[in-house]
Amino acid sequence: MDIEKLKEFVRTKPVQAGVGALALVLVAGVIAFTVYLNGQGSNKDFAVNGSRLIVVKEGMTTADIAALLHEKKLVKNPDAFRMEARWKGLATKLQAGAYQLEGGMSNAQIVDTMVKGRIKQVRFTVPEGFTVVKTAKKLETEGLGSADKFIAAAKNYAPYAYMQTDDANVVFKAEGFIYPATYDFPVGMSEEQLLKLMVDQFDKEMQASGVSKKVAERNLKLRDVVNMAAMVELEAVFAEEQPRIAGVFLKRVSIGMPIQSDTTIQYILGAQKEIITFADTEIKNPYNTYQNAGLPPGPIGSPSLGAIKAVLEPEQTDYLYFVAEKDGHHRFTKTYGEHLQAIKDIG
């Protein structure tokens, strides 16, 4: 009810004495109730200084929200908070989400914040080449989720047909399809929701870039392209070398030669190892591309769009070998003898 409209009504309408008296009583009542709400709606003498993160979940009632705010030392009187929301007709319009609320905000300010959905956003970056495990650990380190829950969710998550596989050796079906990018999302998202967000972004990028169309036109499997691109991503320090490295790997596959990528050994070991030993290449594992010809069971990380495009548009050369220079660039050679000499030259 609008107090000013009631006052205007009393001033301007020539009504009978009884009606006028009733109107005055109503105005007085409204004013008294407003004063009460304002008094009870101030939380300055109750709230703890500093901000508090509040997560309002779907299905929570106004009473639930009021109780949570009281528990977090933001609202002195839960009933007054409920009355504030109901008085303004906003009790059913408080939005779910995560809010960063400052201690000392009035009930009216909190209601306004939740009605307008001023939800706290956080930023998280998935670096190019990151594995499921690395992504999970980074999430946990930044306080955005549980590494174990994210890893568990990624094991069999394959909502798109191109992600699905019957290969029992695949460690994570979501591996390779967590798009490397920077994400802004509301605090409080579950690990499953975060995984979905990242995998959905991969699909959007494949569609928008034309990769999906090109893969279909060439009768390729996107999973195979991503599988190869993950190794290219992790081998190439410099993006301009990705098409040449992709060309070497694809040429090896075409002649039945093992890919022999150190990146697959590092995936097996679960850690970045500067020097891969002969013993490492002898590890019995389906992901070992020294011991097994063709592609590994699945991608070993999240390739960039550039690496994926490099696999689709590889540089055509006669090179079959490459070795890293000290500055991260690679020296490419055609024969094994040239390769051994390159290793010797680099030292």
Side-chain angles (χ1 to χ4, degrees), residues 53 98 100 119-125 139 142-145 182-189 194 197:
L53 179 64
Q100 197 77 33
I119 298 170
K120 178 176 174 56
Q121 297 277 321
V122 292
R123 178 162 288 188
F124 179 75
T125 298
L139 270 172
E142 296 180 22
L144 300 175
T182 295
Y183 297 88
D184 291 309
F185 52 86
V187 172
M189 286 185 72
L194 290 173
L197 176 70

Side-chain angles (χ1 to χ4, degrees), residues 154 156-166 170 172-178 195 199-200 202-203 222-223 299:
N156 292 304
Y157 188 67
Y160 297 100
Y162 54 75
M163 295 174 64
Q164 294 167 13
T165 175
D166 295 327
V170 171
F172 301 106
K173 288 185 178 179
E175 190 79 271
F177 303 99
I178 295 172
L195 179 62
V199 171
D200 285 349
F202 175 89
D203 190 68
L222 183 55
R223 184 177 184 83

Side-chain angles (χ1 to χ4, degrees), residues 77-136:
N77 186 331
D79 290 335
F81 178 84
R82 291 172 58 197
M83 284 189 282
E84 179 75 38
R86 292 180 64 184
W87 175 249
K88 293 182 175 178
L90 302 173
T92 60
K93 297 181 180 180
L94 304 183
Q95 298 186 40
Y99 299 90
Q100 197 77 33
L101 302 176
E102 295 295 327
M105 290 177 69
S106 68
N107 288 350
Q109 289 174 318
I110 297 174
V111 168
D112 180 66
T113 297
M114 292 186 174
V115 167
K116 292 180 178 177
R118 295 172 185 162
I119 298 170
K120 178 176 174 56
Q121 297 277 321
V122 292
R123 178 162 288 188
F124 179 75
T125 298
V126 179
E128 295 168 345
F130 255 41
T131 62
V132 163
V133 172
K134 282 186 175 181
T135 303

Side-chain angles (χ1 to χ4, degrees), residues 33-285:
F33 186 66
T34 303
V35 170
Y36 169 80
L37 281 183
N38 289 339
Q40 291 298 310
S42 174
N43 301 301
K44 290 183 178 179
D45 60 347
F46 172 79
V48 177
N49 290 333
S51 62
R52 294 286 184 279
L53 179 64
I54 302 297
V55 179
V56 177
K57 298 179 181 179
E58 292 287 349
M60 288 182 73
T61 64
T62 309
D64 294 333
I65 297 170
L68 176 63
L69 291 168
H70 180 68
E71 179 187 335
K72 296 292 184 179
K73 299 294 183 182
L74 286 164
V75 164
K76 175 175 62 177
N77 186 331
D79 290 335
F81 178 84
R82 291 172 58 197
M83 284 189 282
E84 179 75 38
R86 292 180 64 184
W87 175 249
K88 293 182 175 178
L90 302 173
T92 60
K93 297 181 180 180
L94 304 183
Q95 298 186 40
Y99 299 90
Q100 197 77 33
L101 302 176
E102 295 295 327
M105 290 177 69
S106 68
N107 288 350
Q109 289 174 318
I110 297 174
V111 168
D112 180 66
T113 297
M114 292 186 174
V115 167
K116 292 180 178 177
R118 295 172 185 162
I119 298 170
K120 178 176 174 56
Q121 297 277 321
V122 292
R123 178 162 288 188
F124 179 75
T125 298
V126 179
E128 295 168 345
F130 255 41
T131 62
V132 163
V133 172
K134 282 186 175 181
T135 303
K137 289 181 178 178
K138 189 171 186 287
L139 270 172
E140 185 165 281
T141 298
E142 296 180 22
L144 300 175
S146 160
D148 288 342
K149 288 182 180 179
F150 188 87
I151 289 170
K155 188 165 184 61
N156 292 304
Y157 188 67
Y160 297 100
Y162 54 75
M163 295 174 64
Q164 294 167 13
T165 175
D166 295 327
D167 193 331
N169 294 310
V170 171
V171 181
F172 301 106
K173 288 185 178 179
E175 190 79 271
F177 303 99
I178 295 172
Y179 194 73
T182 295
Y183 297 88
D184 291 309
F185 52 86
V187 172
M189 286 185 72
S190 69
E191 290 77 9
E192 292 80 5
Q193 290 172 322
L194 290 173
L195 179 62
K196 181 180 186 303
L197 176 70
M198 296 168 188
V199 171
D200 285 349
Q201 187 62 36
F202 175 89
D203 190 68
K204 290 174 185 175
E205 295 291 341
M206 295 305 101
Q207 299 292 339
S209 65
V211 166
S212 292
K213 182 180 179 182
K214 190 171 290 187
V215 167
E217 289 173 347
R218 298 183 185 182
N219 199 29
L220 299 172
K221 293 181 179 179
L222 183 55
R223 184 177 184 83
D224 290 344
V225 173
V226 173
N227 198 341
M228 179 67 79
M231 290 182 284
V232 171
E233 178 70 52
L234 290 164
E235 288 280 7
V237 176
F238 298 95
E240 63 266 23
E241 288 191 345
Q242 289 179 343
R244 183 169 292 185
I245 290 174
V248 171
F249 285 163
L250 289 167
K251 192 173 185 65
R252 284 185 166 220
V253 170
S254 70
I255 63 175
M257 182 179 178
I259 293 172
Q260 296 181 323
S261 175
D262 289 355
T263 63
T264 58
I265 303 300
Q266 290 164 344
Y267 187 73
I268 295 167
L269 297 174
Q272 190 74 20
K273 192 174 182 181
E274 189 173 347
I275 298 176
I276 298 298
T277 66
F278 178 76
D280 293 330
T281 66
E282 293 288 305
I283 296 173
K284 300 297 181 184
N285 189 291

